[in-house]
Amino acid sequence: MCFVSDVLFWSFMAMGKLVWLASYPKSGNTWVRAFLHNYIVNAETPHSINSLVDFSVSECAMAFFGAPGEVLTPQEAQAKRPAIHDALTRLHEDLVFVKTHNANLSLHGVPLCSPGVTAGAVYIVRDPRDVALSYAAFTGKTVDEIIAFMAEAGAANAGDGTQVFELLSSWSSHALSWVAAPRRLLVRYEDLLAEPERYFGRIIRFLSAPGTAVAPDRLRRAIDFSSFSTLAGQEAKEGYRAGGPSGEKFFRAGKAGGWREELSPAQAAAIWAAHGGVMEKFGYPRD
């Protein structure tokens, strides 16, 4: 099924077939997936948020690793990961989009994102102060708990029968691990919000053959159909099956800089103390 042959950069495939859509949690991964689906489908109505598996998959889904309800240890999951990633390349004839929150690291001697089958990566980064607020609402934990979690080198999402574990590491380590990846495009959440045509267009150009023009109307429609108001409206109407354990809305405000009103000075200072050096590399100021 060649669903993206008119869009994607086929020369990537000499290197591999998986295009990682990578981010720390609550950094815009689902938003970018929705945009790509709408751009690829190019329909007259928005693509359903509950159909984001049409053209992309979640790498950690238990369905790829074993029986539903089975809980694998990190060692067991890592032993299976290379074969799983190889199998993912056969889901489609062309490139395969794979969502991951894993850091681009190795564990138990096995890469979390197998380089041999990788075509490239789009990495979405977001100000960790806004991440902390959104992640706390998503998980039902306190902001202070999430701030501490984001500073842990061994931070991970545990396997639970629906997914295998994901190694996030600290926010800083996560970001630096993907910046070091070859054939990757870095996009900031804040830039996607501020100048969507420019930066979503950059994603399409990264994935397109040299000289391929981005269709302006198609781009604008995909941006509109994946806007936060559209996604939130879909969630309110039909629910979102990948919503968080806390029962809170998955698509909240979708804004940048909310930390200035919602974080205490001590909380903002704690995040800066843990990640300030890396935040500056991505253009996030202290104040």
Side-chain angles (χ1 to χ4, degrees):
M1 177 182 180
C2 297
F3 54 81
V4 288
S5 57
D6 65 331
V7 178
L8 297 183
F9 190 0
W10 276 77
S11 66
F12 270 154
M13 292 175 60
M15 307 173 225
K17 287 186 62 178
L18 304 188
V19 176
W20 301 100
L21 303 178
S23 71
Y24 197 86
K26 306 308 296 179
S27 297
N29 200 306
T30 301
W31 183 22
V32 170
R33 288 174 73 201
F35 162 76
L36 285 171
H37 279 69
N38 279 294
Y39 190 87
I40 291 166
V41 174
N42 196 28
E44 294 301 317
T45 57
H47 197 73
S48 171
I49 56 173
N50 287 311
S51 297
L52 295 186
V53 294
D54 287 354
F55 306 129
S56 64
V57 295
S58 180
E59 183 269 352
C60 68
M62 189 63 219
F64 297 128
F65 286 80
E70 185 180 1
V71 178
L72 301 180
T73 67
Q75 294 92 331
E76 290 169 334
Q78 283 301 92
K80 291 188 174 190
R81 263 193 163 105
I84 299 303
H85 294 169
D86 182 66
L88 292 179
T89 68
R90 294 186 286 278
L91 287 178
H92 305 294
E93 294 179 19
D94 48 16
L95 297 175
V96 180
F97 294 119
V98 185
K99 171 191 173 180
T100 185
H101 290 314
N102 278 315
N104 192 27
L105 300 171
S106 293
L107 184 67
H108 302 302
V110 178
L112 289 152
C113 300
S114 302
V117 294
T118 294
V122 176
Y123 184 65
I124 310 110
V125 66
R126 185 183 187 186
D127 190 319
R129 294 165 292 198
D130 284 327
V131 170
L133 290 169
S134 185
Y135 205 10
F138 177 73
T139 60
K141 296 183 181 297
T142 69
V143 172
D144 287 331
E145 287 175 319
I146 292 298
I147 290 172
F149 178 80
M150 291 173 65
E152 294 178 9
N157 289 329
D160 62 3
T162 63
Q163 68 169 57
V164 297
F165 90 102
E166 298 173 296
L167 177 63
L168 310 182
S169 192
S170 70
W171 179 88
S172 290
S173 293
H174 193 285
L176 293 176
S177 75
W178 279 105
V179 167
R183 302 188 303 278
R184 64 102 184 102
L185 175 69
L186 169 71
V187 289
R188 297 195 326 161
Y189 180 99
E190 295 78 12
D191 293 332
L192 293 172
L193 276 176
E195 299 182 77
E197 290 188 32
R198 177 180 179 185
Y199 288 98
F200 278 112
R202 183 173 290 180
I203 293 173
I204 297 303
R205 283 190 291 275
F206 173 72
L207 296 171
S208 300
T212 302
V214 177
D217 291 344
R218 184 174 183 175
L219 177 66
R220 283 192 290 268
R221 181 163 52 246
I223 291 170
D224 182 55
F225 284 174
S226 57
S227 68
F228 273 87
S229 60
T230 300
L231 299 178
Q234 286 189 0
E235 182 181 19
K237 184 177 180 179
E238 59 189 82
Y240 181 42
R241 289 192 290 269
S246 69
E248 291 289 326
K249 292 180 181 178
F250 186 90
F251 300 100
R252 296 172 65 244
K255 64 181 182 180
W259 67 268
R260 290 185 173 87
E261 291 78 40
E262 298 186 56
L263 288 182
S264 70
Q267 289 170 332
I271 294 173
W272 186 264
H275 309 293
V278 176
M279 291 168 66
E280 288 182 319
K281 294 179 185 294
F282 292 107
Y284 297 124
R286 182 165 189 163
D287 300 314

